[in-house]
Amino acid sequence: MSARVAIVTGGSGGIGRAVVDRLAADGFNVAVHYSGNRARAAEAVDAAVERGVQAVAVGGDVADEEAMGGLFDEVESTFGGVDVVVNTAGVMVLDPIEHFDLAALDRMHRVNIRGTFVVSQLAARRLREGGALVNFSTSVTRLQMPTYGPYVASKAAVEGLTLILARELRGRGITVNAVAPGPTATPLFLDGKSDEEVERLSKAAPLERLGRPEDVADVVSFLAGPSARWVNGQVLFANGGIG
């Protein structure tokens, strides 16, 4: 039986890189999507190949339907099809709603909402029978933390899209779920935060630490694998019990 094939958007760093590593360890051939840093994507490819699978780096704007259509074309040509799509690509800008820059809002929503929609639409059309789509939300949708409003708005949209798409793909054997991480030690989370703020947030969960990218990758591995075939149309919170 040939290896299953996964596309990971934003797979060159942070949670995306941990997902690539874990799916490669699970035996998936992987397509590592990147937006601007091809060198990091190449490192992820090399690490996957060292695990004994095939891997390729593929670039493009997740919000550009032609670019993402070309990405799916390339992956299908290289590996023969697509079984799993994981949307980790995202942008987070924090500021109070009252003062939030609308240009920043447009940039963030282009990646988080339109990008997720474009890739989800392609996944709905092109995933093989028995496939899985995993989108990314955030635990902050339930925590109502100040300065996170615009980001949460984009991720709440992702949750709504995900849960409805799961119902729309009835009869295809394809699962559609979202993962909602809590505070996780990645550049996306750590950038712009003081040491004191990071320390405070690290104690918020009952487990009293920040999440690791590998913690979230374990959840994705579950949703992408055979043990989660009865998990569909759900948002799984990977946050150590916060909120």
Side-chain angles (χ1 to χ4, degrees):
M1 183 176 179
S2 61
R4 300 183 78 207
V5 178
I7 295 172
V8 182
T9 70
S12 61
I15 289 174
R17 171 60 190 272
V19 170
V20 169
D21 290 344
R22 177 56 195 266
L23 293 182
D26 291 343
F28 281 85
N29 292 331
V30 288
V32 183
H33 163 267
Y34 65 95
S35 177
N37 197 324
R38 180 175 177 81
R40 286 200 305 179
E43 292 173 0
V45 166
D46 290 343
V49 170
E50 288 179 3
R51 294 181 180 273
V53 300
Q54 300 179 58
V56 62
V58 283
D61 177 0
V62 290
D64 184 328
E65 65 272 26
E66 292 187 3
M68 290 301 98
L71 181 153
F72 273 77
D73 290 342
E74 182 175 349
V75 174
E76 289 174 346
S77 175
T78 301
F79 298 124
V82 181
D83 300 289
V84 171
V85 174
V86 185
N87 265 317
T88 76
V91 175
M92 182 169 66
V93 182
L94 304 180
D95 216 10
I97 295 169
E98 180 182 3
H99 306 296
F100 203 85
D101 179 70
L102 293 180
L105 180 74
D106 290 342
R107 290 194 301 273
M108 184 165 58
H109 283 198
R110 175 176 170 80
V111 175
N112 295 357
I113 298 178
R114 180 183 170 92
T116 299
F117 189 98
V118 166
V119 175
S120 295
Q121 185 179 68
L122 286 163
R125 294 171 178 172
R126 301 173 72 163
L127 277 170
R128 291 191 283 208
E129 177 81 16
L133 170 63
V134 182
N135 288 326
F136 265 71
S137 180
T138 173
S139 288
V140 189
T141 57
R142 305 298 188 269
L143 300 176
Q144 294 86 44
M145 294 170 61
T147 76
Y148 280 81
Y151 177 68
V152 164
S154 72
K155 291 302 187 178
V158 168
E159 288 191 14
L161 165 69
T162 300
L163 301 185
I164 290 173
L165 183 57
R167 277 74 183 176
E168 291 181 346
L169 295 185
R170 171 184 291 274
R172 298 268 304 278
I174 295 171
T175 61
V176 185
N177 296 287
V179 177
T184 305
T186 67
L188 181 71
F189 171 77
L190 297 172
D191 285 354
K193 292 184 174 66
S194 67
D195 291 344
E196 293 77 12
E197 187 175 7
V198 170
E199 177 66 16
R200 176 179 61 81
L201 290 169
S202 72
K203 301 300 183 183
L207 297 179
E208 294 191 331
R209 66 171 174 85
L210 293 178
R212 296 182 292 263
E214 294 77 14
D215 295 323
V216 183
D218 288 344
V219 178
V220 174
S221 171
F222 167 66
L223 291 173
S227 297
R229 300 314 302 161
W230 195 234
V231 180
N232 189 33
Q234 305 298 316
V235 180
L236 273 68
F237 289 81
N239 60 23
I242 189 172

